[in-house]
Amino acid sequence: MSIVVIGKSGQLAYELQQAGGDNIVCLGRDDIDITDKAALADKLDSIKPEAVINASAYTAVDKAESEPEAAALINTQGVANLAEYCKVNSIFLVHVSTDYVFNGKKGSPYTVDDTIEPQGVYGQTKADGEKALLNTIPASSCLIRTAWVYSTHGNNFVKTMLRLMADKPQLTVIDDQIGSPTLASGLAQACLYAAQNKTAGIFHWTDEGVTSWYDFALAIQELAVEKGLLDNKIPVLPIPSSQYPTPAKRPHYSVLDKTLTRETFSSVQPAHWRAQLSAMLDALKSEQSNTQ
């Protein structure tokens, strides 16, 4: 099955290429401009994919507050353009969205049917992208919301923590934002499943379990020391979000309910975040050994 992935350098696009092999064509910014309808059509016409996975997004959450037009161009208009092209050409589209479409005030896991109420520009542009998708091709698209994505590739919270824990005498990490981490390779498997099986609908995908950024950081340090990625532990202190102000609001609680996903995605199932973190750190250690 010929699948085009929009995105090349990001964590998810990288993992999709690893998982999909020769069936995957990853198109980066130099290859395709999803904000330009004509250029988008010319490129996809030349490939004629059976499915498209949109793994591209404007993800600079704080920067989006001062660059709303740039965020909307990719997260909203780009998605609308892709959806329109896929509708005309009868192509199945898998689109990845975010927990930031919710306000974070619910206090229990968000279901796929819960009302979206984004709190910032990034979340609003992603929510508008969701609406464009669902208004255009609701029966031939899969919308997958995810959160807290990390991998051995690219920049992410886990790799940032490892670097800071190696360099700093102590760290402070926010303890009042609650969610579920997501290993990008697992998310990639879910996207591929949806594309290959043309699984239409709205679904949530994260790793299993719930944690705070603070507890996630503690687990990173504990496992990294155990595996020899860090020499020793440093003090990691919890702080409230109020002590670390950012231009964009973060949802305080953004756990995503995966009941429908577990029922529908029969051959791929989420694993617990701690097991996934351990696997990622093993992979990172292996990569580092191979480059030494």
Side-chain angles (χ1 to χ4, degrees):
M1 184 179 188
S2 170
I3 301 172
V4 160
V5 171
I6 307 297
K8 185 182 280 185
S9 60
Q11 299 181 91
L12 176 56
Y14 176 84
E15 295 296 344
L16 281 164
Q17 197 158 28
Q18 302 306 302
D22 295 338
N23 295 330
I24 296 286
V25 179
C26 286
L27 302 177
R29 291 177 187 173
D30 295 337
D31 307 308
I32 191 169
D33 182 1
I34 63 172
T35 69
D36 183 329
K37 284 186 183 181
L40 164 66
D42 285 346
K43 187 65 180 184
L44 293 180
D45 283 349
S46 70
I47 300 172
K48 294 182 170 55
E50 295 169 67
V52 171
I53 299 173
N54 183 27
S56 70
Y58 181 110
T59 56
V61 175
D62 289 322
K63 202 174 177 184
E65 294 297 312
S66 57
E67 293 186 353
E69 295 86 1
L73 199 58
I74 297 169
N75 292 346
T76 305
Q77 188 58 53
V79 178
N81 293 345
L82 278 170
E84 287 170 20
Y85 177 86
C86 289
K87 181 179 182 178
V88 170
N89 293 277
S90 301
I91 295 170
F92 193 82
L93 177 57
V94 179
H95 173 62
V96 180
S97 192
T98 173
D99 57 326
Y100 277 68
V101 300
F102 297 115
N103 65 17
K105 299 173 184 176
K106 184 183 178 187
S108 60
Y110 283 96
T111 71
V112 296
D113 299 319
D114 277 328
T115 302
I116 59 175
E117 188 186 349
Q119 299 294 288
V121 170
Y122 166 71
Q124 186 63 59
T125 60
K126 292 294 286 184
D128 291 343
E130 289 188 7
K131 291 172 188 173
L133 176 79
L134 297 172
N135 286 340
T136 306
I137 46 171
S140 58
S141 65
C142 181
L143 171 62
I144 300 179
R145 296 189 185 117
T146 191
W148 297 25
V149 178
Y150 71 97
S151 73
T152 60
H153 177 79
N155 298 316
N156 54 67
F157 182 79
V158 176
K159 291 172 75 176
T160 297
M161 285 296 105
L162 291 173
R163 176 173 53 80
L164 293 176
M165 287 166 176
D167 294 344
K168 303 284 186 183
Q170 73 172 38
L171 282 181
T172 57
V173 181
I174 289 167
D175 70 345
D176 58 356
Q177 290 176 19
I178 308 299
S180 303
T182 306
L183 187 61
S185 57
L187 176 60
Q189 292 290 345
C191 290
L192 282 173
Y193 179 94
Q196 290 163 348
N197 295 281
K198 298 190 174 178
T199 309
I202 303 173
F203 299 92
H204 290 164
W205 181 280
T206 64
D207 295 337
E208 297 285 17
V210 177
T211 189
S212 66
W213 287 116
Y214 169 71
D215 286 318
F216 192 28
L218 291 183
I220 292 164
Q221 177 167 249
E222 179 188 329
L223 289 169
V225 169
E226 185 182 297
K227 296 173 187 296
L229 283 162
L230 290 172
D231 293 332
N232 52 268
K233 291 185 179 181
I234 63 168
V236 180
L237 308 176
I239 59 167
S241 301
S242 59
Q243 286 187 28
Y244 189 76
T246 55
K249 276 187 182 179
R250 268 69 174 166
H252 278 286
Y253 182 97
S254 63
V255 179
L256 301 177
D257 183 286
K258 295 177 288 292
T259 304
L260 185 61
T261 305
R262 286 191 290 267
E263 292 170 353
T264 309
F265 288 58
S266 56
S267 66
V268 288
Q269 294 287 303
H272 193 274
W273 68 263
R274 194 174 171 94
Q276 294 288 72
L277 172 62
S278 181
M280 178 271 193
L281 293 174
D282 286 340
L284 194 62
K285 185 175 182 181
S286 178
E287 285 181 16
Q288 290 180 359
S289 297
N290 291 336
T291 56
Q292 288 173 352

